[in-house]
């Protein structure tokens, strides 16, 4: 998992750096020219940045819970983020709100990160339970009925 996590972390860092530079250049270009195509490009890049953020929220918990190759892990994280859109938006709001709270009140660093992690883990558990097949438990009565062994 360490090597997969490292590769995914590098991919996320490259994607974020690429998007940050592109957004900065496009924003300044949009301010200077004001053309409609530049504005469209800027909003497309904002959309990609949102998709990257949503995928990043899920990719490391998916890596920890499931055993898949890197490409499949990223695709599964993206699909889970889209399929569980309300939970994803809630997590984004939690992360942004905690960052803002820490910026305003630095003492919040001691509880905001833990609170967000606790709430996010509950959301991830609910989401992942849907994708994990639970083994069917049978008891002795069910086995005797299905095999026809009725001892009385």
């Amino acid at each position: 998992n360490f090597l997969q996590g490292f590769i995914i972390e590098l991919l996320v860092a490259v994607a974020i750096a690429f998007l940050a530079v592109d957004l900065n250049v496009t924003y300044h270009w949009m301010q200077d020219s004001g053309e409609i195509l530049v504005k469209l490009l800027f909003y497309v890049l904002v959309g990609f940045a949102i998709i990257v953020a949503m995928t990043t929220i899920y990719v490391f918990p998916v890596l920890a819970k499931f055993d898949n190759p890197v490409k499949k892990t990223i695709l599964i994280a993206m699909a889970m983020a889209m399929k569980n859109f309300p939970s994803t938006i809630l997590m984004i709001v939690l992360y942004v709100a905690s960052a803002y709270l820490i910026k305003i009140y630095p003492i919040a660093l001691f509880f905001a990160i833990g609170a967000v992690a606790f709430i996010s883990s509950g959301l991830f558990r609910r989401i992942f339970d849907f994708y994990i097949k639970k083994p069917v438990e049978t008891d002795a009565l069910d086995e005797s009925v299905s095999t026809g062994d009725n001892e009385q």
Side-chain angles (χ1 to χ4, degrees):
N1 262 1
F2 176 76
L3 183 60
Q4 286 180 322
F6 184 71
I7 291 169
I8 290 172
E9 189 172 340
L10 285 177
L11 291 172
V12 167
V14 167
I16 290 172
F18 177 76
L19 283 169
V21 169
D22 276 353
L23 283 168
N24 189 23
V25 168
T26 310
Y27 177 77
H28 290 297
W29 187 17
M30 183 177 67
Q31 294 299 319
D32 292 340
S33 71
E35 293 180 26
I36 192 74
L37 288 177
V38 177
K39 287 182 181 180
L40 180 65
L41 176 62
F42 178 75
Y43 293 123
V44 166
L45 287 172
V46 167
F48 280 131
I50 291 170
I51 291 171
V52 167
M54 290 169 41
T55 304
T56 303
I57 288 173
Y58 280 81
V59 73
F60 294 105
V62 167
L63 176 66
K65 192 73 171 174
F66 304 104
D67 189 25
N68 292 311
V70 172
K71 183 179 178 182
K72 191 171 182 181
T73 300
I74 293 170
L75 292 174
I76 288 171
M78 189 181 299
M80 282 185 176
M82 299 299 172
K83 184 170 181 176
N84 301 291
F85 193 71
S87 296
T88 304
I89 295 299
L90 178 60
M91 284 188 268
I92 288 174
V93 168
L94 284 171
Y95 293 138
V96 170
S98 69
Y100 183 71
L101 185 66
I102 291 169
K103 182 180 178 186
I104 294 175
Y105 304 108
I107 195 76
L109 177 70
F110 295 109
F111 69 88
I113 294 173
V116 169
F118 180 75
I119 295 167
S120 295
S121 67
L123 291 170
F124 281 125
R125 186 177 25 169
R126 183 182 54 83
I127 291 166
F128 290 162
D129 282 348
F130 180 76
Y131 297 101
I132 297 173
K133 295 179 184 173
K134 297 193 185 237
V136 177
E137 294 184 22
T138 59
D139 58 1
L141 181 61
D142 289 341
E143 289 177 12
S144 67
V145 171
S146 64
T147 60
D149 297 334
N150 291 332
E151 295 179 24
Q152 293 196 354

